[in-house]
Amino acid sequence: MTKEELMRKAIELSKENVANGGGPFGAVIAKDGEIIATGVNRVTASCDPTAHAEVSAIRAAAAQLGTFNLSGYEIYTSCEPCPMCLGAIYWARLDKMYYGNNKTDAKNIGFDDSFIYDELELKPADRKLPSEVLLHNEAIKAFEEWAEKEDKVEY
């Protein structure tokens, strides 16, 4: 399939998902024009705030391929990803991302992620979500063990 055909599939998935009671988002992960996995937004259907189309497609691709490293693959998503999905795309090491709608288009229909982008720019103490460091001296021990582990699988 061409890039355009793969994007049309992501768009088709987003439209089908709206018809099925989900959000207007779809994603496709492909390599060399072949679809490996797809995903749609199922936040409300599955009561899972992380069930965005891109995350769902990444989970499906990783399960299908038996790896967390999706280097060599591309993602086609019907909309510019939110901060969570963008982070997941980077962590999955996808080679390239294509998107249809942008974050302003999403904001215009009620999917406004700008507050998260704004929050990320702030120091933790200045964010709207109260947070504090707790039991750092105990928590750091797991990091020390990880740093010393010789047979770890780095990711």
Side-chain angles (χ1 to χ4, degrees):
M1 299 176 79
T2 66
K3 293 186 300 189
E4 292 78 10
E5 290 170 326
L6 291 163
M7 179 56 77
R8 284 188 185 103
K9 178 62 177 175
I11 294 166
E12 176 187 324
L13 288 167
S14 71
K15 292 165 68 176
E16 288 174 0
N17 202 47
V18 169
N20 292 326
F25 304 98
V28 169
I29 294 179
K31 182 175 186 174
D32 299 326
E34 181 184 340
I35 295 174
I36 303 303
T38 63
V40 294
N41 182 291
R42 302 305 293 162
V43 170
T44 57
S46 64
C47 298
D48 178 356
T50 68
H52 290 202
E54 298 90 340
V55 171
S56 297
I58 289 168
R59 288 174 179 162
Q64 170 79 13
L65 298 167
T67 182
F68 58 85
N69 185 336
L70 300 180
S71 296
Y73 296 85
E74 300 174 331
I75 188 165
Y76 297 78
T77 180
S78 63
C79 186
E80 183 177 3
C82 73
M84 176 186 70
C85 292
L86 184 59
I89 289 165
Y90 276 107
W91 279 114
R93 296 177 177 87
L94 289 155
D95 285 3
K96 190 162 185 179
M97 172 178 66
Y98 299 91
Y99 60 90
N101 296 312
N102 63 38
K103 60 186 175 184
T104 302
D105 298 323
K107 179 180 180 177
N108 290 341
I109 61 163
F111 294 94
D112 185 4
D113 300 321
S114 60
F115 76 97
I116 298 173
Y117 287 107
D118 294 343
E119 288 282 294
L120 290 171
E121 296 295 320
L122 300 173
K123 294 177 186 173
D126 296 331
R127 294 179 183 158
K128 291 179 182 151
L129 178 65
S131 63
E132 65 181 90
V133 177
L134 185 63
L135 299 177
H136 177 262
N137 291 337
E138 293 178 33
I140 198 69
K141 298 219 183 299
F143 280 17
E144 291 167 351
E145 291 171 15
W146 172 260
E148 293 172 12
K149 188 173 176 65
E150 292 183 17
D151 64 342
K152 62 187 167 214
V153 177
E154 296 193 28
Y155 56 95

